[in-house]
Amino acid sequence: MTTTTSTTAAPTEAVATASTADAPALIRFRPTGLDTAPEVNALLERLGLGPFAPDGLTAFGGRNDNWAGTTTRGRQVFVKTVARAPDGSRPEIDRALAFEATAARLPAGSPLRTPEHLGTDRESAVSAFRLLPGSRSGSEVALDGDFDEALCREAGRAVATLHTLGTADGASGGASGGEAPDPASAPAIDTGEAPLPPMRWLRAFPWSEVQDRSMAQIAAWKLVQDDTEVVAALHRLRERERTAPHTPAHCDLRFDQFLVHDGQLFLCDWEEFRLADPARDVGAFVGEWLFQATYSVFAPTGEPTSAKDAVAPGFDLSHEEIVERGAAGLRHHVPRIAAFWQGYTECRTPDPELAERAVGFAGWHLYDRLIATAQAHAVLNPVARAAAGIGRTLLLNPAGAVATLRLADPAVPHPAVTPAAVVPAAVLPTAVAHPAQPHPADAPSGSPR
């Protein structure tokens, strides 16, 4: 059976749970009522799992409606929906099904683990997976300080394995378990260009799009559009991507796409899966740690040690304190980037320019985080603006940060991490705009998010 679905999740009430007083909180949400989504239990019934039992039903954060719980037949299941395109097509479901068919060839014990796919109803865009009870999102793990070098190395091995799918070094024989789509009937792997960064929006976008954006998102995009050097750098990055070797790639890699369950790392959410530049995934992982490092500058004690410390209340630090904290944050997080790269190179030999392109994509990732976090705000978060300042540095000179970020040959001695190499004075909230010649755009800026 092939089925799939995705819709934008409605606002829900967060529920924090913990097994003991000292255990990290697991952030869960109250799910959308199943009476408004009868296709969910209909799929579970067709799969022979029984409908969800109402007691204990919960949800994870995210843009798609989802449900997690136990069925009346005792199966622990996670179900989610995805959105349809305006023309009625289901590209996100098709890409996810293409991944499942491709991953079905993974050998047992592969470094790339993903929750078992139980089945999909493509017409209603709903997919069911085996629930990993007690699992923690990679975002939660990172904020609690537990996404250590060992897990980062495991993440690197998983991503490298993904990038070898369908090659002599990758999937051949074996099975991933579950009812993966028949490769002969599954959708073909998407070969279209990844949507981000949205090049047509670097100049302007329709007024109709502006109405759906927050004021902070409009301001965030104006930072990009008004900076002619950043716009030119993004065009260069896209050109390099087009000529780079393409592999199967996740193309939406963030910490929250990882799950940690029983000490093992799983990678999920394959709605953007396609053939693309593998530097996208490497750069996104690097960018996530740089975003964490930026937030640590303004945390009450310099580095967030739990989710509650992730956002700082004030910005009364001196320039010297900001530089010192920025360097300390980088020194703390760069070894995790190095561990990821070590794991990656253990499982795949990257092309000679992958690291440099990855730094460029890390730079874009920081801008992307700025835009994404601005969605629910009227003004830009100063920390996200600071992260965008780092992103600008990486985009304009990716080659200059390869060694500093430990993406060079492991046998080559790496330089000491200094704030000037990656974190310029732009880390100051008042300096991140980088005034430049105004870009000749006639319309306000916005975000495809």
Side-chain angles (χ1 to χ4, degrees):
M1 169 179 291
T2 57
T3 354
T4 196
T5 186
S6 166
T7 57
T8 302
T12 53
E13 179 182 352
V15 180
T17 63
S19 58
T20 69
D22 296 328
L26 301 179
I27 302 173
R28 302 295 179 258
F29 299 83
R30 300 192 190 283
T32 300
L34 285 172
D35 55 336
T36 66
E39 65 273 14
V40 171
N41 278 333
L43 171 62
L44 295 178
E45 292 272 27
R46 288 198 298 273
L47 292 173
L49 305 173
F52 271 125
D55 294 341
L57 195 62
T58 186
F60 297 85
R63 62 188 177 90
N64 297 321
D65 277 339
N66 64 82
W67 298 261
T70 304
T71 70
T72 55
R73 296 186 181 179
R75 295 292 299 273
Q76 292 185 306
V77 178
F78 171 76
V79 178
K80 74 172 182 178
T81 67
V82 298
R84 301 185 189 187
D87 63 1
S89 63
R90 304 160 184 83
E92 292 188 352
I93 281 293
D94 288 345
R95 286 192 287 265
L97 290 175
F99 167 77
E100 296 296 345
T102 305
R105 300 191 297 270
L106 282 169
S110 169
L112 176 59
R113 305 180 191 89
T114 189
E116 178 186 354
H117 174 238
L118 302 174
T120 294
D121 181 346
R122 185 176 180 277
E123 183 62 29
S124 58
V126 179
S127 290
F129 302 87
R130 182 173 71 88
L131 179 65
L132 304 178
S135 62
R136 299 166 62 201
S137 158
S139 294
E140 298 172 16
V141 176
L143 286 172
D144 287 321
D146 296 332
F147 210 133
D148 57 18
E149 293 176 30
L151 274 181
C152 287
R153 179 170 171 265
E154 191 174 342
R157 290 173 57 83
V159 172
T161 302
L162 166 64
H163 293 167
T164 62
L165 280 178
T167 70
D169 296 329
S172 59
S176 62
E179 299 177 8
D182 178 2
S185 60
I189 298 179
D190 192 346
T191 59
E193 190 174 69
L196 298 175
M199 307 310 290
R200 64 187 179 88
W201 290 40
L202 295 181
R203 178 179 177 88
F205 54 88
W207 172 249
S208 59
E209 296 288 344
V210 179
Q211 301 176 70
D212 294 330
R213 312 299 157 192
S214 71
M215 291 300 296
Q217 281 189 315
I218 292 173
W221 263 100
K222 190 165 179 59
L223 280 181
V224 178
Q225 292 175 334
D226 285 354
D227 193 328
T228 55
E229 291 183 295
V230 165
V231 170
L234 288 171
H235 279 285
R236 289 194 299 272
L237 182 61
R238 275 291 202 186
E239 286 302 315
R240 296 186 70 177
E241 176 186 23
R242 292 187 183 103
T243 60
H246 280 40
T247 70
H250 190 282
C251 291
D252 192 27
L253 199 71
R254 302 186 308 273
F255 285 156
D256 58 3
Q257 310 292 32
F258 290 97
L259 295 173
V260 178
H261 174 68
D262 286 345
Q264 292 188 317
L265 196 67
F266 292 75
L267 183 55
C268 57
D269 291 352
W270 299 97
E271 289 80 18
E272 292 300 326
F273 174 73
R274 67 186 73 222
L275 290 180
D277 185 351
R280 281 185 167 271
D281 292 342
V282 176
F285 192 87
V286 173
E288 286 285 83
W289 281 119
L290 293 178
F291 199 61
Q292 289 275 325
T294 308
Y295 267 82
S296 73
V297 171
F298 299 101
T301 59
E303 179 190 339
T305 56
S306 66
K308 67 182 184 337
D309 292 331
V311 179
F315 292 86
D316 55 349
L317 301 173
S318 68
H319 176 80
E320 291 75 16
E321 289 174 317
I322 290 175
V323 170
E324 180 181 350
R325 289 188 176 194
L330 281 174
R331 283 193 295 269
H332 184 75
H333 292 312
V334 164
R336 292 166 173 169
I337 295 173
F340 172 87
W341 186 244
Q342 178 189 356
Y344 188 91
T345 55
E346 287 171 355
C347 293
R348 178 176 186 265
T349 301
D351 67 85
E353 297 183 352
L354 187 146
E356 189 172 323
R357 297 194 311 276
V359 172
F361 279 113
W364 160 252
H365 188 83
L366 292 169
Y367 276 104
D368 183 53
R369 294 294 85 205
L370 167 67
I371 295 166
T373 56
Q375 182 176 0
H377 301 284
V379 296
L380 283 179
N381 182 323
V383 182
R385 286 174 60 105
I390 298 174
R392 184 181 197 272
T393 300
L394 301 181
L395 277 169
L396 297 190
N397 183 23
V402 167
T404 299
L405 293 176
R406 306 277 293 279
L407 299 180
D409 185 337
V412 177
H414 59 82
V417 176
T418 61
V422 178
V423 185
V427 79
L428 289 164
T430 57
V432 296
H434 295 282
Q437 291 291 327
H439 196 270
D442 298 325
S445 55
S447 168
R449 289 182 173 275

